[in-house]
Amino acid sequence: VQLTSDPAWADSFPRWSPDGRWIAFARRPAGRARQPQSAQLWLMSPDGGGPRRLVEEGGHMAWLPDSSGLVFLHGDQFARTDVASGSVVPLTISGPSRLPIFSVSPDGQWIVYQSPDGGDMDLLRVPITGGEARVALRTEKQDFHPSFSPSGRWLYFQTDHRNLWRVPGSAQD
């Protein structure tokens, strides 16, 4: 069942809300499908009905655990949006640069993201409210694709785009 079909748009990165009420997705003009800075964030019901634009300029996104909003990359900073109001709050993060591959912890307290600074790809963590980034994981390899287990007890990741690993408690003090 095709859920979107407007030829003027390229829709991608669908993400189910934890409560199952919404699907968030990135929408770009069809001619700019590979330009992340041109993305808008949209919501629709699971059957494809009622699509609405949530954020004018966004990128990759992850749901907050309570389904109240999304965290997304806005330029080179993270931001948070509220589903009900559409308000956007930039999250001020100091420290190394961010890539659009990230995960929000199941308790909604942390963002773990990829950072290429220093020549290695490492995983950094930052409180969801913003602040200073700290190392969540640094190995001798290139570390990619952070993902929390549903309990938050484990952080899964991939080294060198080859194998899957997990470590306990990487986003906790």
Side-chain angles (χ1 to χ4, degrees):
V1 174
Q2 185 172 351
L3 299 180
T4 63
S5 62
D6 189 330
W9 297 98
D11 300 329
S12 60
F13 304 112
R15 299 289 183 261
W16 276 91
S17 64
D19 66 7
R21 292 183 56 215
W22 300 102
I23 297 174
F25 61 98
R27 177 169 265 190
R28 295 174 176 85
R32 294 188 275 170
R34 297 203 179 265
Q35 296 174 353
Q37 68 275 13
S38 65
Q40 300 174 358
L41 298 184
W42 283 63
L43 291 178
M44 67 180 167
S45 65
D47 66 359
R52 69 177 167 103
R53 185 177 64 206
L54 184 62
V55 175
E56 181 70 33
E57 290 183 40
H60 293 271
M61 84 289 285
W63 281 95
L64 295 172
D66 65 1
S67 300
S68 66
L70 294 152
V71 173
F72 61 98
L73 205 57
H74 181 71
D76 66 350
Q77 286 285 344
F78 288 109
R80 180 179 175 164
T81 185
D82 179 73
V83 170
S85 71
S87 65
V88 174
V89 176
L91 304 178
T92 303
I93 297 172
S94 60
S97 61
R98 289 146 285 289
L99 289 182
I101 312 261
F102 64 93
S103 184
V104 174
S105 65
D107 64 5
Q109 300 300 307
W110 297 94
I111 301 169
V112 173
Y113 66 93
Q114 292 179 198
S115 176
D117 285 3
D120 285 329
M121 187 69 68
D122 295 316
L123 301 181
L124 300 179
R125 64 184 173 155
V126 67
I128 195 96
T129 55
E132 186 174 345
R134 294 179 274 169
V135 173
L137 180 74
R138 181 175 284 145
T139 70
E140 295 177 6
K141 300 178 183 258
Q142 303 296 309
D143 305 315
F144 297 98
H145 308 289
S147 178
F148 286 95
S149 66
S151 69
R153 180 174 177 209
W154 302 101
L155 179 68
Y156 290 80
F157 66 100
Q158 189 179 33
T159 58
D160 294 335
H161 283 124
R162 295 182 52 117
N163 297 303
L164 299 176
W165 297 74
R166 75 176 185 183
V167 293
S170 284
Q172 300 169 23
D173 288 325

